Amino acid sequence: MSKVAIVTGAGQGIGFAIAERLHKDGFKVGILDYNEETAQAAVAKLSSDTAFAVVADVSKQDQVNAAFDKVVEHFGDLHVVVNNAGVAPTTPLDTITPEQFERAFAINVGGVIWGSQAAHRHFKTLGHGGKIINATSQAGCVGNPNLTVYGGTKFAVRGITQTLAKDLAQDNITVNAYAPGIVKTPMMYDIAHKVGKNAGKDDEWGMQTFAKDITLKRLSEPEDVANAVSFLAGADSNYITGQTIVVDGGMVFH
Ligand code: NAD
């Protein structure tokens, strides 16, 4: 019987690429997004038999619980949860507002906590272990310009990943994270635009601010990230937990 995965923020970008890859790997996939239109479109691109859309805001515990329940009811099982949904406000220090701070932490950090909590509840009820995989960033490994709030959330995700790896190992659950670099998605184009604008420069300048240090000299495709997540979702990573796999073409070495 095929395994079941939930990917949050799977309506577009990296989340969709992950859902597409896990689907190709043989998973039935729950496509969770707060954008119903893109979530339904993602299912249409995969298959209405083996993909299923659920609408939830990952910053809301009750919505996450209800959406996970629907996927488990629909497919009858759950093995892998990818807490991918995130937002990336561009925040030079003096411009940060309480609203930006609260929203980014509620989604990027809260979303990982509520998604992990719902995953743990279902894995226990289903009587088997599982894999929790969280989205951090190279900006959660080293400081990046203008990203105080975003970087803060992504450093937090690595901490949560390490803590949950310790807490959930007894339930046969591994918890790992992936740290993309500069990926060609709507999120990254938005950051490049705003960083360029803040400096009185164009979008290309904004992108190069981040991209100039990529050792492999090309921006990342969403599929580069999905390849690593496929590994973390599969049996070949069974002896890995608490780790962050950096998928950034060689920006951060550690
Ligand atoms: P994106 O903005 O292109 O897509 C994000 C998706 O998440 C969208 O479908 C959006 O509707 C959904 N989403 C956002 N907030 C949500 C919420 N509260 N509840 C439910 N769904 C929500 O972003 P992306 O570039 O694909 O990024 C995916 C993840 O990878 C994020 O966690 C991001 O921080 C991380 N990341 C991206 C890059 C990059 O270069 N693009 C780099 C490092 C890390």
Side-chain angles (χ1 to χ4, degrees):
M1 204 184 98
S2 57
K3 291 195 166 184
V4 179
I6 291 176
V7 183
T8 73
Q12 69 176 37
I14 294 169
F16 177 69
I18 292 169
E20 193 176 35
R21 174 57 194 264
L22 295 186
H23 190 255
K24 201 169 133 204
D25 290 349
F27 282 88
K28 292 176 179 161
V29 188
I31 305 278
L32 187 154
D33 208 289
Y34 63 6
N35 184 332
E36 182 168 12
E37 205 176 305
T38 57
Q40 293 293 1
V43 168
K45 279 184 223 153
L46 300 178
S47 142
S48 55
D49 286 339
T50 47
F52 181 62
V54 278
V55 177
D57 178 340
V58 297
S59 70
K60 309 281 187 229
Q61 185 194 32
D62 55 340
Q63 293 187 24
V64 171
N65 280 333
F68 274 55
D69 291 355
K70 279 187 202 158
V71 173
V72 173
E73 197 183 316
H74 186 78
F75 287 132
D77 216 334
L78 183 65
H79 305 87
V80 169
V81 167
V82 185
N83 291 311
N84 166 80
V87 290
T90 304
T91 53
L93 178 63
D94 298 343
T95 71
I96 299 170
T97 64
E99 291 74 25
Q100 274 176 332
F101 164 75
E102 279 154 24
R103 179 165 186 268
F105 271 84
I107 294 175
N108 295 5
V109 180
V112 168
I113 293 173
W114 308 136
S116 300
Q117 195 180 61
H120 187 215
R121 176 168 61 83
H122 280 293
F123 293 157
K124 275 193 300 189
T125 307
L126 291 161
H128 58 65
K131 287 169 179 274
I132 296 172
I133 305 167
N134 300 324
T136 175
S137 168
Q138 59 80 28
C141 300
V142 296
N144 273 224
N146 283 199
L147 296 183
T148 297
V149 172
Y150 180 72
T153 67
K154 294 300 182 179
F155 269 81
V157 169
R158 287 200 301 126
I160 291 166
T161 299
Q162 294 182 13
T163 303
L164 294 184
K166 296 260 184 194
D167 285 350
L168 305 187
Q170 63 195 8
D171 296 322
N172 197 23
I173 297 168
T174 62
V175 188
N176 291 294
Y178 54 98
I182 312 299
V183 192
K184 291 194 251 172
T185 69
M187 174 185 284
M188 194 58 225
Y189 288 122
D190 180 59
I191 293 175
H193 171 71
K194 291 195 178 122
V195 169
K197 198 169 151 219
N198 288 344
K201 313 267 187 184
D202 61 12
D203 293 8
E204 178 58 25
W205 184 92
M207 190 63 98
Q208 282 310 315
T209 305
F210 294 96
K212 63 181 168 21
D213 298 325
I214 302 175
T215 303
L216 296 180
K217 297 291 171 224
R218 70 167 174 87
L219 298 174
S220 173
E221 302 294 336
E223 290 72 24
D224 293 313
V225 181
N227 292 343
V229 175
S230 167
F231 167 69
L232 291 176
D236 286 350
S237 63
N238 280 354
Y239 197 59
I240 299 176
T241 197
Q243 305 302 318
T244 292
I245 295 198
V246 183
V247 190
D248 67 353
M251 298 173 74
V252 175
F253 291 144
H254 70 132

